[in-house]
Amino acid sequence: DGPRCVLNENDLINRIIKPKIREIQMGSPKLLSCDVYRAMEDNLPRLVFVHYKQANKLMKVLAKHHCPKMLNHKDVELNVGAENEIEAIVKLKGGEEIGLDEWLEAKRDLIEFTYELRESSKFAKTCQSKTRNMEDDLFGCDDEILEITRYTSF
């Protein structure tokens, strides 16, 4: 077992989530806005969404078609902490401990609503559901790569 990082639930909420630290401040609702979806629908760009863990695979495909000299280079992935996996735990008020991923999955919708992490307009909520649908499609693919075409229904 690797090292454990135990976060008190109140500290997690009040010191990280509520003040919108790091990615919480600038997440997918801000990046994949209704304007972005409208532009995709209007212009039908050649666009691919890739799970970040598939960056090496994407770089190899790009190199194969556009820069063959790069095919022999090492992978672009550099994760200096890959060997140092940390088990992230949330300690609840009663002392019970739960994995951070499990805690986030259980509390995601409540946290988004309570701390206004979603855009408030009716249209923005529709666009956020498009993002969720697209994420479901992306994670539903074995290769975790999703090409956006005129037939994509998000």
Side-chain angles (χ1 to χ4, degrees):
D1 285 347
R4 288 171 36 107
C5 175
V6 180
L7 304 162
N8 176 292
E9 185 176 34
N10 285 334
D11 288 343
L12 175 61
I13 291 170
N14 293 318
R15 293 185 179 182
I16 298 172
I17 296 172
K18 194 173 180 181
K20 301 177 183 175
I21 300 295
R22 303 195 194 254
E23 290 90 351
I24 297 171
Q25 179 183 22
M26 190 60 171
S28 59
K30 298 252 190 257
L31 299 173
L32 293 171
S33 66
C34 290
D35 289 340
V36 170
Y37 281 109
R38 258 190 302 282
M40 283 192 273
E41 290 167 1
D42 291 347
N43 300 301
L44 294 173
R46 300 236 15 190
L47 191 60
V48 175
F49 285 89
V50 180
H51 190 285
Y52 72 94
K53 291 181 179 181
Q54 304 300 334
N56 288 326
K57 191 183 294 184
L58 175 64
M59 294 304 291
K60 286 178 183 174
V61 169
L62 290 172
K64 179 180 175 184
H65 295 285
H66 300 287
C67 195
K69 292 178 184 177
M70 297 297 292
L71 282 172
N72 296 328
H73 282 71
K74 290 184 178 180
D75 289 343
V76 295
E77 176 184 304
L78 178 63
N79 184 353
V80 294
E83 296 175 8
N84 301 325
E85 285 197 30
I86 296 174
E87 181 182 12
I89 304 291
V90 177
K91 189 171 190 172
L92 306 177
K93 292 177 186 171
E96 181 184 350
E97 294 182 352
I98 185 171
L100 178 62
D101 289 341
E102 186 179 348
W103 183 87
L104 284 170
E105 188 61 35
K107 304 265 185 167
R108 179 180 69 186
D109 293 331
L110 179 64
I111 289 169
E112 285 180 346
F113 176 77
T114 303
Y115 300 108
E116 299 175 353
L117 299 177
R118 289 184 178 184
E119 296 294 317
S120 57
S121 77
K122 174 183 158 188
F123 298 110
K125 289 178 184 174
T126 302
C127 296
Q128 286 175 332
S129 68
K130 288 181 179 188
T131 300
R132 289 258 170 91
N133 290 339
M134 184 183 57
E135 287 172 345
D136 290 343
D137 289 346
L138 176 69
F139 296 133
C141 297
D142 290 337
D143 59 3
E144 296 178 318
I145 298 174
L146 179 66
E147 181 180 9
I148 303 301
T149 69
R150 73 183 77 202
Y151 306 110
T152 303
S153 59
F154 35 65

